[in-house]
Amino acid sequence: MVRLRLSQLRLCHPRVWGSCWLTLKLWEMLALDQFWAQCLCRSRKGTRWDQVLFVLVAYRLLSSGSEWRLHRQWFERSALADLLGADASVSDIHKLYACHDRLLAHKNAVFDHLVSRWRDLFNVEFDLLLYDLTSTYFEANPPFDDEDDKRRFGYSRDKRPDCVQVVIALVVTPEGLPLAYEVLPGNTADKTTLRDFLDRIEGQYGKARRVWVMDRGIPTEETLEQMRHSDPPVHYLVGTPKGRLTKLEQALLLKPWQDARPGVQVKLLPQDGELYVFAQSTDRIAKERAMRRRQLRRLWARLKQLSGMTLTHKELLMRLGAARSQYPSAWRLVEVKIDDRQPSFSCRLNRDKLKQIRRREGRYLLRTNLTGTDPSELWRTYIQLTLVEEAFRNLKGDLALRPIYHQKEARIEAHIFIAFLAYCLHVTLAQQLRPHAPGLTRAACSTSSPPYRCSTSKFRPPTAEPSASPATPSPRPTSSCCWRSCGLNCQLSHHQKLPPPKPKPPPPCSADL
């Protein structure tokens, strides 16, 4: 029997266990520990690069930030050292950067591996592909020495035209599982990307009857014709620019409306081996109409305010330009005439243009070569493009893809690659939770309600020197039920018992940095 003095019992070095444990379970579920152990061999000094990579991915998923913050703060506050049976050397700042240089050679192989694992785990099909593009910006000082550098000025979806950027093209399934992605120069036009991606998917996964779903502006007429005449034919469902709607407006007026689903009506127009689907949504009409009215009221109030000001001609032009930039949709409905001789203007509402806008609010023209498909199915398929947008929001929000501070192009792409590995864990967790807790988010699972926390307890027996003992984490009852329902074992295996605390490494000196 050992007697303890509870007054001298102290808990020190608390570490977050639950989210780290869950990330490791997802990593093992996808067999990425085995994959990277084969691809990233140990260094001559015994560095486990696969463990360094897991630390980077777990950090990006759980508490994204800079590699320096990972090295100095986050790693010692997490339980990764306990779970991996490693010391603080796996978070060494030089090893974190050196690991980036070893990853890109295995990019295609890891996606082949993940597709195989997702098929086994979730029985998903990869015959419907959603394709879209986004951009992410840099904190950098252009111009750059390398003419082939991908960091370029271009159309910024982040509303940062002052920063250089790269364009990211992404293909995902309706479940949100990424099939492939590519990093392109920041000035790449959307319509030039599709042909190369079609060839890449066919080369990597073979020819098959796939359906590509894309937004307007991505495919060109030449690319769509190639997709129709390929063997086997590549099916597509794309949005159509409004200019084509103007050309087909008279033909569509003669077609009757059909109910695709409650609140959604469609008109079908077969033409030249394709099917045009003109769809209108009651909810979307109400939303777009409310947005247009709100912006038009605000612009009209601003113009009335400017008309009562005493301004110079230059000041008037600048403030009208600011109003045009702030309310672009409403500005197209207003005709503004500026007096050349004095600083004044007149404005009127263009009612003909307003009628045309009202006829097209909440209505979309889709184009497909799936001529025998039910219209309601085509509508449901097209609105799944929001899943690609959700993937981009997760990458830029929870996983903090932007801004990028790396300067070397290989490390820039490796940074994006690590973010995509973290996103693969994110979407795998969502798939695992969907049958049991579809409303539970990744953040709620991994951070706000972790199943374990651990710490080291120090106590002084009456007849012995002070000793330290790791406190075995105990699961919360609600969290344990959640993980068991998802098929995850909450109990610690034998090799995951907490080792005694390791001494803290000395702080790096200036020569090391």
Side-chain angles (χ1 to χ4, degrees):
M1 180 181 295
V2 178
R3 298 171 60 188
L4 301 178
R5 295 177 181 173
L6 297 180
S7 61
Q8 296 187 10
L9 182 67
R10 292 187 299 114
L11 295 180
C12 57
H13 191 198
R15 306 180 288 288
V16 176
W17 177 280
S19 53
C20 299
W21 170 85
L22 178 59
T23 304
L24 181 60
K25 283 295 180 182
L26 294 170
W27 188 259
E28 294 172 349
M29 181 186 296
L30 294 175
L32 288 172
D33 53 337
Q34 302 172 22
F35 174 85
W36 288 112
Q38 296 175 359
C39 294
L40 301 178
C41 301
R42 291 179 184 236
S43 69
R44 290 181 299 173
K45 296 182 179 181
T47 301
R48 289 280 304 272
W49 294 111
D50 57 323
Q51 290 187 349
V52 177
L53 174 60
F54 173 72
V55 170
L56 283 166
V57 174
Y59 175 61
R60 183 61 48 187
L61 179 66
L62 302 177
S63 180
S64 50
S66 66
E67 282 78 7
W68 182 249
R69 175 173 169 265
L70 163 61
H71 164 65
R72 292 302 296 265
Q73 294 181 2
W74 185 80
F75 184 79
E76 68 175 12
R77 297 176 183 175
S78 73
L80 289 183
D82 305 307
L83 289 165
L84 298 175
D87 55 21
S89 63
V90 295
S91 66
D92 177 74
I93 187 64
H94 303 291
K95 292 179 181 178
L96 295 177
Y97 285 122
C99 185
H100 284 67
D101 303 328
R102 291 168 164 79
L103 301 179
L104 294 181
H106 310 287
K107 177 180 170 182
N108 291 338
V110 74
F111 275 102
D112 290 339
H113 171 81
L114 288 171
V115 167
S116 176
R117 288 298 299 155
W118 283 326
R119 278 199 178 104
D120 295 340
L121 290 170
F122 308 119
N123 194 28
V124 293
E125 298 293 337
F126 295 90
D127 52 359
L128 178 61
L129 305 181
L130 313 175
Y131 178 67
D132 205 354
L133 299 100
T134 190
S135 59
T136 183
Y137 62 90
F138 293 80
E139 297 292 346
N141 294 318
F144 307 107
D145 297 333
D146 188 1
E147 295 182 357
D148 297 328
D149 199 301
K150 293 183 178 180
R151 291 172 291 180
R152 291 284 184 267
F153 289 105
Y155 170 66
S156 176
R157 295 163 177 85
D158 301 322
K159 303 186 185 301
R160 289 298 303 270
D162 58 314
C163 297
V164 291
Q165 64 178 16
V166 293
V167 171
I168 301 175
L170 175 63
V171 177
V172 302
T173 68
E175 294 80 15
L177 304 172
L179 196 63
Y181 80 93
E182 192 62 51
V183 180
L184 306 169
N187 57 357
T188 302
D190 292 357
K191 63 183 180 181
T192 63
T193 63
L194 180 59
R195 183 68 260 172
D196 292 338
F197 238 96
L198 291 172
D199 296 337
R200 176 180 172 180
I201 294 297
E202 286 187 0
Q204 187 170 355
Y205 300 106
K207 289 188 175 183
R209 292 188 177 274
R210 300 186 179 94
V211 180
W212 288 75
V213 184
M214 297 161 283
D215 207 351
R216 63 187 181 206
I218 293 179
T220 61
E221 290 294 330
E222 181 183 357
T223 305
L224 292 179
E225 185 176 357
Q226 291 176 356
M227 295 172 73
R228 288 194 296 269
H229 294 92
S230 62
D231 185 26
V234 180
H235 299 295
Y236 56 83
L237 175 61
V238 301
T240 306
K242 293 183 178 180
R244 184 169 290 271
L245 176 58
T246 304
K247 296 178 181 179
L248 300 175
E249 194 168 14
Q250 293 301 321
L252 287 169
L253 287 174
L254 304 176
K255 299 294 181 180
W257 288 104
Q258 303 177 27
D259 290 330
R261 50 176 263 187
V264 178
Q265 293 180 312
V266 297
K267 289 185 177 184
L268 305 180
L269 178 63
Q271 192 175 86
D272 299 331
E274 293 181 303
L275 179 65
Y276 289 91
V277 182
F278 185 53
Q280 70 172 11
S281 168
T282 305
D283 294 339
R284 191 69 187 179
I285 290 174
K287 179 180 178 180
E288 293 188 5
R289 193 157 291 173
M291 292 169 60
R292 186 253 307 160
R293 287 173 175 170
R294 182 170 60 250
Q295 195 171 121
L296 188 58
R297 280 198 302 268
R298 292 177 179 176
L299 174 61
W300 205 257
R302 180 58 177 164
L303 292 176
K304 184 177 180 181
Q305 186 181 23
L306 290 177
S307 64
M309 293 182 179
T310 303
L311 302 170
T312 64
H313 197 273
K314 183 177 180 180
E315 290 174 340
L316 177 62
L317 291 176
M318 291 181 65
R319 300 201 180 190
L320 287 174
R324 178 180 180 177
S325 177
Q326 189 173 2
Y327 309 108
S329 300
W331 186 271
R332 290 192 286 267
L333 303 176
V334 177
E335 294 180 357
V336 178
K337 293 184 179 180
I338 303 174
D339 195 332
D340 295 334
R341 291 173 295 179
Q342 56 183 353
S344 64
F345 68 95
S346 61
C347 58
R348 61 180 291 270
L349 184 65
N350 190 329
R351 298 188 179 277
D352 294 334
K353 196 171 286 187
L354 177 60
K355 291 178 182 178
Q356 184 184 36
I357 291 295
R358 283 179 57 86
R359 286 199 304 267
R360 295 183 179 182
E361 282 175 338
R363 298 174 174 91
Y364 304 93
L365 183 62
L366 309 181
R367 180 182 183 183
T368 181
N369 58 352
L370 295 167
T371 54
T373 307
D374 183 62
S376 61
E377 184 65 27
L378 292 174
W379 171 261
R380 283 194 295 268
T381 301
Y382 184 73
I383 62 177
Q384 288 178 345
L385 272 178
T386 56
L387 295 172
V388 192
E389 299 171 1
E390 182 182 355
F392 289 142
R393 283 196 300 270
N394 289 328
L395 284 166
K396 296 180 179 182
D398 293 345
L399 305 179
L401 176 65
R402 61 183 184 188
I404 300 176
Y405 293 92
H406 292 280
Q407 301 301 312
K408 295 183 178 180
E409 184 171 331
R411 289 188 179 175
I412 291 169
E413 296 200 30
H415 169 85
I416 298 173
F417 179 61
I418 291 170
F420 267 95
L421 287 178
Y423 175 72
C424 291
L425 300 185
H426 173 104
V427 74
T428 300
L429 177 60
Q431 281 293 109
Q432 193 75 9
L433 290 172
R434 187 167 295 167
H436 311 283
L440 196 61
T441 63
R442 190 275 311 169
C445 289
S446 59
T447 56
S448 64
S449 180
Y452 299 116
R453 288 187 183 271
C454 66
S455 60
T456 301
S457 54
K458 291 188 177 182
F459 55 89
R460 181 187 297 273
T463 59
E465 293 295 324
S467 59
S469 173
T472 304
S474 57
R476 296 180 183 176
T478 54
S479 300
S480 301
C481 296
C482 177
W483 305 134
R484 279 197 298 270
S485 66
C486 296
L488 298 176
N489 182 15
C490 295
Q491 301 302 321
L492 290 176
S493 60
H494 177 71
H495 70 278
Q496 287 178 330
K497 294 295 183 181
L498 291 178
K502 298 178 176 62
K504 271 184 148 180
C509 62
S510 58
D512 296 330
L513 303 180

Coordinates of all heavy atoms in Angstrom, one line a residue, residues 427-497:
V427 N -13.0 15.1 -44.8 CA -14.1 14.6 -45.5 C -14.3 13.1 -45.2 O -15.5 12.6 -45.2 CB -13.9 14.8 -47.1 CG1 -12.9 13.9 -47.6 CG2 -15.2 14.7 -47.8
T428 N -13.3 12.4 -44.8 CA -13.4 11.0 -44.4 C -14.2 11.0 -43.1 O -15.1 10.1 -42.9 CB -12.1 10.3 -44.2 OG1 -11.4 10.3 -45.5 CG2 -12.2 8.9 -43.7
L429 N -13.9 11.9 -42.2 CA -14.7 12.0 -40.9 C -16.1 12.3 -41.2 O -17.0 11.7 -40.6 CB -14.0 13.0 -40.0 CG -14.8 13.3 -38.7 CD1 -14.8 12.0 -37.8 CD2 -14.1 14.4 -37.9
A430 N -16.4 13.2 -42.1 CA -17.8 13.5 -42.5 C -18.5 12.3 -43.0 O -19.7 12.1 -42.7 CB -17.8 14.7 -43.5
Q431 N -17.8 11.5 -43.9 CA -18.5 10.3 -44.4 C -18.7 9.3 -43.3 O -19.7 8.6 -43.3 CB -17.5 9.7 -45.5 CG -17.6 10.4 -46.8 CD -19.0 10.2 -47.5 OE1 -19.7 11.1 -47.6 NE2 -19.3 9.0 -47.9
Q432 N -17.8 9.2 -42.3 CA -18.0 8.2 -41.2 C -19.1 8.6 -40.3 O -19.8 7.8 -39.8 CB -16.6 8.2 -40.5 CG -16.5 7.0 -39.5 CD -16.3 5.7 -40.2 OE1 -16.1 5.7 -41.4 NE2 -16.4 4.6 -39.5
L433 N -19.3 9.9 -40.1 CA -20.3 10.4 -39.2 C -21.7 10.5 -39.9 O -22.7 10.5 -39.2 CB -20.0 11.8 -38.7 CG -18.8 11.9 -37.8 CD1 -18.5 13.4 -37.5 CD2 -19.1 11.3 -36.5
R434 N -21.8 10.5 -41.2 CA -23.0 10.7 -41.9 C -24.1 9.8 -41.5 O -25.3 10.2 -41.3 CB -22.8 10.7 -43.4 CG -24.0 11.1 -44.2 CD -23.6 11.4 -45.7 NE -22.7 12.5 -45.7 CZ -22.0 12.9 -46.8 NH1 -22.1 12.1 -47.9 NH2 -21.2 13.9 -46.8
P435 N -23.9 8.4 -41.4 CA -25.0 7.5 -41.1 C -25.4 7.7 -39.6 O -26.6 7.3 -39.3 CB -24.4 6.1 -41.3 CG -23.2 6.3 -42.2 CD -22.7 7.7 -41.8
H436 N -24.6 8.2 -38.7 CA -24.8 8.2 -37.3 C -25.2 9.6 -36.8 O -26.0 9.7 -35.9 CB -23.6 7.6 -36.5 CG -23.1 6.3 -37.1 ND1 -23.7 5.1 -36.9 CD2 -22.0 6.1 -37.9 CE1 -23.1 4.2 -37.5 NE2 -22.0 4.7 -38.1
A437 N -24.4 10.6 -37.2 CA -24.7 12.0 -36.7 C -24.4 12.9 -37.9 O -23.4 13.6 -37.9 CB -23.7 12.3 -35.6
P438 N -25.4 13.0 -38.9 CA -25.1 13.8 -40.0 C -25.0 15.3 -39.7 O -24.4 16.1 -40.5 CB -26.3 13.6 -40.9 CG -27.4 13.1 -40.0 CD -26.7 12.4 -38.9
G439 N -25.5 15.8 -38.6 CA -25.4 17.2 -38.3 C -24.2 17.6 -37.5 O -23.9 18.8 -37.3
L440 N -23.4 16.6 -37.1 CA -22.2 16.9 -36.3 C -21.0 17.3 -37.2 O -20.7 16.6 -38.2 CB -21.8 15.6 -35.6 CG -20.8 15.8 -34.4 CD1 -21.4 16.7 -33.3 CD2 -20.5 14.4 -33.8
T441 N -20.4 18.5 -37.0 CA -19.4 19.0 -37.8 C -18.0 18.5 -37.3 O -17.9 18.0 -36.2 CB -19.3 20.5 -37.8 OG1 -19.1 20.9 -36.4 CG2 -20.7 21.1 -38.2
R442 N -17.0 18.6 -38.2 CA -15.7 18.2 -37.9 C -15.1 19.0 -36.7 O -14.5 18.4 -35.8 CB -14.8 18.4 -39.1 CG -13.4 17.8 -39.0 CD -12.4 18.6 -38.3 NE -12.3 20.0 -38.8 CZ -11.6 20.9 -38.2 NH1 -11.0 20.7 -37.1 NH2 -11.6 22.2 -38.7
A443 N -15.4 20.3 -36.7 CA -14.9 21.1 -35.6 C -15.5 20.7 -34.2 O -14.8 20.6 -33.2 CB -15.2 22.6 -35.8
A444 N -16.8 20.3 -34.2 CA -17.4 19.9 -33.0 C -16.8 18.6 -32.5 O -16.7 18.3 -31.3 CB -18.9 19.7 -33.2
C445 N -16.4 17.7 -33.5 CA -15.9 16.4 -33.1 C -14.5 16.5 -32.5 O -14.1 15.9 -31.5 CB -15.8 15.5 -34.3 SG -17.5 14.9 -34.8
S446 N -13.6 17.3 -33.2 CA -12.2 17.3 -32.9 C -11.7 18.3 -32.0 O -10.7 18.1 -31.4 CB -11.4 17.4 -34.3 OG -11.8 18.6 -34.9
T447 N -12.4 19.4 -31.8 CA -11.9 20.5 -31.0 C -12.8 20.9 -29.8 O -12.4 20.9 -28.7 CB -11.6 21.8 -31.8 OG1 -12.8 22.1 -32.5 CG2 -10.6 21.5 -32.9
S448 N -14.1 21.2 -30.1 CA -14.9 21.7 -29.0 C -15.3 20.6 -28.0 O -15.7 20.9 -26.9 CB -16.2 22.3 -29.6 OG -16.9 21.3 -30.3
S449 N -15.3 19.3 -28.5 CA -15.7 18.3 -27.5 C -14.8 17.1 -27.7 O -15.2 16.0 -28.1 CB -17.2 17.8 -27.9 OG -17.5 16.8 -27.0
P450 N -13.5 17.2 -27.3 CA -12.6 16.1 -27.4 C -12.9 15.0 -26.4 O -13.3 15.3 -25.3 CB -11.2 16.8 -27.1 CG -11.5 17.9 -26.2 CD -12.9 18.4 -26.7
P451 N -12.7 13.7 -26.8 CA -13.1 12.6 -25.9 C -12.1 12.5 -24.8 O -12.4 11.9 -23.8 CB -13.1 11.4 -26.9 CG -12.2 11.8 -28.0 CD -12.4 13.3 -28.2
Y452 N -10.8 12.9 -25.0 CA -9.8 12.7 -24.0 C -9.0 14.0 -23.8 O -8.8 14.8 -24.7 CB -8.8 11.6 -24.4 CG -9.3 10.3 -24.6 CD1 -9.3 9.7 -25.9 CD2 -9.9 9.5 -23.6 CE1 -9.8 8.5 -26.1 CE2 -10.4 8.3 -23.8 CZ -10.3 7.7 -25.1 OH -10.8 6.5 -25.3
R453 N -8.5 14.2 -22.5 CA -7.4 15.1 -22.3 C -6.5 14.4 -21.3 O -6.9 13.6 -20.5 CB -7.9 16.4 -21.6 CG -8.6 17.3 -22.6 CD -9.0 18.7 -22.0 NE -9.7 19.5 -23.0 CZ -9.2 20.3 -23.8 NH1 -7.9 20.4 -23.9 NH2 -9.9 21.0 -24.7
C454 N -5.2 14.7 -21.4 CA -4.3 14.0 -20.6 C -3.3 15.0 -20.0 O -3.1 16.1 -20.5 CB -3.5 12.9 -21.4 SG -2.4 13.5 -22.6
S455 N -2.7 14.6 -18.9 CA -1.7 15.4 -18.2 C -0.8 14.5 -17.4 O -1.0 13.3 -17.3 CB -2.4 16.4 -17.2 OG -3.2 15.7 -16.3
T456 N 0.3 15.1 -16.9 CA 1.2 14.3 -16.0 C 1.0 14.7 -14.6 O 0.9 15.9 -14.3 CB 2.6 14.6 -16.5 OG1 2.8 14.3 -17.8 CG2 3.6 13.8 -15.6
S457 N 0.8 13.7 -13.7 CA 0.6 14.0 -12.3 C 1.9 13.7 -11.5 O 2.6 12.7 -11.7 CB -0.5 13.1 -11.8 OG -0.2 11.7 -12.0
K458 N 2.2 14.7 -10.7 CA 3.4 14.6 -9.8 C 3.0 14.5 -8.4 O 2.1 15.2 -7.9 CB 4.3 15.7 -10.0 CG 5.0 15.8 -11.4 CD 6.1 16.8 -11.5 CE 6.8 16.8 -12.8 NZ 7.9 17.8 -12.9
F459 N 3.5 13.5 -7.7 CA 3.1 13.3 -6.3 C 4.4 12.9 -5.5 O 5.4 12.5 -6.0 CB 2.0 12.2 -6.1 CG 2.4 10.9 -6.7 CD1 3.1 9.9 -6.0 CD2 2.1 10.6 -8.1 CE1 3.4 8.7 -6.6 CE2 2.4 9.4 -8.6 CZ 3.1 8.4 -7.9
R460 N 4.3 13.1 -4.1 CA 5.4 12.8 -3.2 C 4.9 11.7 -2.2 O 4.1 12.0 -1.3 CB 5.8 14.1 -2.5 CG 6.9 13.9 -1.5 CD 7.2 15.1 -0.7 NE 7.6 16.2 -1.6 CZ 8.8 16.5 -1.9 NH1 9.8 15.7 -1.5 NH2 9.1 17.5 -2.7
P461 N 5.3 10.5 -2.4 CA 5.0 9.5 -1.4 C 5.7 9.8 -0.1 O 6.7 10.6 -0.1 CB 5.6 8.2 -2.0 CG 5.8 8.5 -3.4 CD 6.1 9.9 -3.5
P462 N 5.2 9.4 1.0 CA 5.7 9.8 2.3 C 7.2 9.4 2.5 O 7.9 10.1 3.2 CB 4.8 9.0 3.3 CG 3.6 8.8 2.6 CD 4.0 8.6 1.2
T463 N 7.6 8.3 1.9 CA 9.0 7.8 2.1 C 9.8 7.7 0.9 O 10.7 6.9 0.7 CB 9.0 6.4 2.8 OG1 8.2 5.5 1.9 CG2 8.3 6.5 4.1
A464 N 9.5 8.5 -0.1 CA 10.2 8.4 -1.4 C 10.4 9.8 -2.0 O 9.8 10.8 -1.5 CB 9.5 7.5 -2.3
E465 N 11.3 9.9 -3.0 CA 11.5 11.1 -3.7 C 10.3 11.4 -4.6 O 9.5 10.5 -4.9 CB 12.7 11.0 -4.6 CG 14.0 10.8 -3.8 CD 14.3 12.1 -3.0 OE1 14.0 13.2 -3.5 OE2 14.8 12.0 -1.9
P466 N 10.1 12.6 -5.0 CA 9.0 13.0 -5.9 C 9.1 12.1 -7.2 O 10.1 11.9 -7.7 CB 9.1 14.5 -6.2 CG 10.0 15.0 -5.1 CD 10.9 13.8 -4.6
S467 N 7.9 11.6 -7.6 CA 7.9 10.9 -8.9 C 6.8 11.4 -9.8 O 5.9 12.1 -9.3 CB 7.6 9.4 -8.5 OG 6.4 9.2 -7.8
A468 N 6.9 11.0 -11.0 CA 5.9 11.4 -12.0 C 5.2 10.2 -12.6 O 5.8 9.2 -12.8 CB 6.6 12.3 -13.1
S469 N 3.9 10.4 -12.8 CA 3.2 9.3 -13.5 C 2.2 9.9 -14.5 O 1.5 10.9 -14.2 CB 2.4 8.6 -12.4 OG 1.5 7.6 -13.0
P470 N 2.2 9.3 -15.7 CA 1.2 9.9 -16.7 C -0.2 9.5 -16.3 O -0.5 8.4 -15.9 CB 1.6 9.2 -18.0 CG 2.3 7.9 -17.5 CD 3.0 8.2 -16.2
A471 N -1.1 10.4 -16.3 CA -2.5 10.2 -16.0 C -3.2 9.6 -17.3 O -3.1 10.2 -18.3 CB -3.2 11.5 -15.6
T472 N -3.7 8.4 -17.2 CA -4.3 7.8 -18.3 C -5.6 8.5 -18.6 O -6.5 8.7 -17.7 CB -4.7 6.3 -18.0 OG1 -3.4 5.6 -17.6 CG2 -5.3 5.6 -19.2
P473 N -5.8 8.9 -19.8 CA -7.0 9.7 -20.2 C -8.3 8.8 -20.1 O -8.2 7.6 -20.4 CB -6.8 10.1 -21.6 CG -5.8 9.2 -22.1 CD -4.9 8.8 -21.0
S474 N -9.3 9.4 -19.7 CA -10.6 8.6 -19.6 C -11.6 9.3 -20.5 O -11.7 10.5 -20.6 CB -11.1 8.7 -18.1 OG -11.3 10.0 -17.7
P475 N -12.4 8.5 -21.2 CA -13.3 9.1 -22.2 C -14.5 9.7 -21.5 O -15.0 9.2 -20.5 CB -13.7 7.9 -23.0 CG -13.6 6.7 -22.1 CD -12.4 7.0 -21.2
R476 N -15.0 10.7 -22.1 CA -16.3 11.3 -21.7 C -17.4 10.3 -22.2 O -17.4 9.8 -23.3 CB -16.6 12.7 -22.3 CG -15.6 13.7 -21.8 CD -15.9 15.0 -22.4 NE -14.9 16.0 -22.0 CZ -14.9 17.3 -22.5 NH1 -15.8 17.6 -23.4 NH2 -14.0 18.1 -22.1
P477 N -18.5 10.1 -21.4 CA -19.5 9.1 -21.8 C -20.1 9.4 -23.1 O -20.3 8.6 -24.0 CB -20.5 9.2 -20.6 CG -19.7 9.7 -19.5 CD -18.7 10.6 -20.0
T478 N -20.5 10.7 -23.3 CA -21.2 11.1 -24.6 C -20.3 10.9 -25.8 O -20.7 10.4 -26.8 CB -21.7 12.5 -24.5 OG1 -20.6 13.4 -24.2 CG2 -22.7 12.7 -23.4
S479 N -19.0 11.3 -25.6 CA -18.1 11.2 -26.7 C -17.8 9.7 -27.0 O -17.7 9.3 -28.2 CB -16.7 11.9 -26.4 OG -17.0 13.2 -26.1
S480 N -17.7 8.8 -26.0 CA -17.4 7.4 -26.2 C -18.5 6.8 -27.0 O -18.3 6.0 -27.9 CB -17.3 6.7 -24.8 OG -16.3 7.3 -24.0
C481 N -19.8 7.1 -26.7 CA -20.9 6.6 -27.4 C -20.8 7.0 -28.9 O -21.1 6.2 -29.8 CB -22.2 7.0 -26.8 SG -22.5 6.4 -25.2
C482 N -20.5 8.3 -29.1 CA -20.4 8.8 -30.5 C -19.3 8.0 -31.3 O -19.6 7.6 -32.4 CB -20.1 10.3 -30.5 SG -19.8 11.0 -32.1
W483 N -18.1 7.8 -30.7 CA -17.1 7.2 -31.4 C -17.4 5.7 -31.7 O -17.1 5.1 -32.7 CB -15.8 7.3 -30.7 CG -15.4 8.7 -30.4 CD1 -14.9 9.2 -29.3 CD2 -15.4 9.8 -31.3 NE1 -14.7 10.6 -29.4 CE2 -15.0 11.0 -30.6 CE3 -15.8 10.0 -32.6 CZ2 -14.9 12.2 -31.2 CZ3 -15.8 11.2 -33.2 CH2 -15.3 12.3 -32.5
R484 N -18.0 5.1 -30.7 CA -18.4 3.6 -30.9 C -19.4 3.5 -32.0 O -19.4 2.5 -32.7 CB -18.9 3.1 -29.5 CG -17.8 2.7 -28.6 CD -18.4 1.7 -27.5 NE -19.4 2.4 -26.7 CZ -19.2 3.1 -25.6 NH1 -17.9 3.2 -25.1 NH2 -20.2 3.6 -24.9
S485 N -20.4 4.4 -32.1 CA -21.4 4.3 -33.1 C -20.7 4.5 -34.5 O -21.3 4.0 -35.5 CB -22.5 5.4 -32.9 OG -21.9 6.7 -33.1
C486 N -19.6 5.2 -34.6 CA -18.9 5.4 -35.8 C -17.9 4.3 -36.1 O -17.1 4.4 -37.1 CB -18.2 6.8 -35.9 SG -19.3 8.1 -35.8
G487 N -17.8 3.3 -35.2 CA -16.9 2.2 -35.5 C -15.5 2.5 -35.0 O -14.6 1.8 -35.4
L488 N -15.3 3.5 -34.1 CA -14.0 3.8 -33.6 C -13.8 3.3 -32.2 O -14.7 3.6 -31.4 CB -13.7 5.3 -33.7 CG -13.7 5.9 -35.1 CD1 -13.6 7.4 -35.0 CD2 -12.7 5.3 -36.0
N489 N -12.8 2.6 -31.9 CA -12.6 2.1 -30.6 C -11.9 3.2 -29.7 O -10.9 3.7 -30.0 CB -11.6 0.9 -30.6 CG -11.4 0.3 -29.3 OD1 -12.2 0.6 -28.3 ND2 -10.4 -0.6 -29.2
C490 N -12.6 3.5 -28.6 CA -12.1 4.6 -27.7 C -11.0 4.1 -26.7 O -10.4 4.9 -26.1 CB -13.3 5.1 -26.8 SG -14.5 5.9 -27.8
Q491 N -10.9 2.8 -26.6 CA -9.9 2.3 -25.6 C -8.5 2.4 -26.1 O -8.3 2.2 -27.3 CB -10.3 0.8 -25.2 CG -11.7 0.6 -24.7 CD -11.9 1.5 -23.4 OE1 -11.0 1.6 -22.6 NE2 -13.1 2.1 -23.3
L492 N -7.6 2.7 -25.2 CA -6.2 2.8 -25.6 C -5.7 1.4 -25.8 O -5.9 0.5 -25.0 CB -5.4 3.4 -24.5 CG -5.7 4.9 -24.3 CD1 -4.9 5.4 -23.1 CD2 -5.3 5.7 -25.5
S493 N -5.0 1.2 -27.0 CA -4.3 -0.1 -27.2 C -3.0 -0.1 -26.4 O -2.6 0.9 -25.8 CB -4.0 -0.2 -28.7 OG -3.1 0.8 -29.1
H494 N -2.4 -1.3 -26.4 CA -1.2 -1.4 -25.5 C -0.1 -0.5 -25.8 O 0.6 0.1 -25.0 CB -0.7 -2.9 -25.6 CG 0.5 -3.2 -24.8 ND1 0.5 -3.2 -23.4 CD2 1.8 -3.4 -25.2 CE1 1.7 -3.5 -22.9 NE2 2.5 -3.6 -24.0
H495 N 0.1 -0.3 -27.2 CA 1.3 0.6 -27.6 C 1.0 2.0 -27.4 O 1.8 2.9 -27.6 CB 1.7 0.3 -29.0 CG 0.7 0.7 -30.0 ND1 -0.5 0.0 -30.3 CD2 0.6 1.9 -30.8 CE1 -1.2 0.6 -31.2 NE2 -0.6 1.8 -31.5
Q496 N -0.3 2.4 -27.0 CA -0.6 3.8 -26.9 C -0.6 4.2 -25.4 O -1.1 5.3 -25.1 CB -2.0 4.1 -27.5 CG -2.0 4.1 -29.0 CD -3.4 4.3 -29.6 OE1 -4.4 4.0 -29.0 NE2 -3.4 4.9 -30.7
K497 N -0.2 3.4 -24.5 CA -0.1 3.8 -23.1 C 0.9 4.9 -23.0 O 1.9 5.0 -23.6 CB 0.4 2.6 -22.2 CG -0.7 1.5 -22.1 CD -1.9 1.9 -21.4 CE -2.9 0.8 -21.3 NZ -4.1 1.2 -20.6

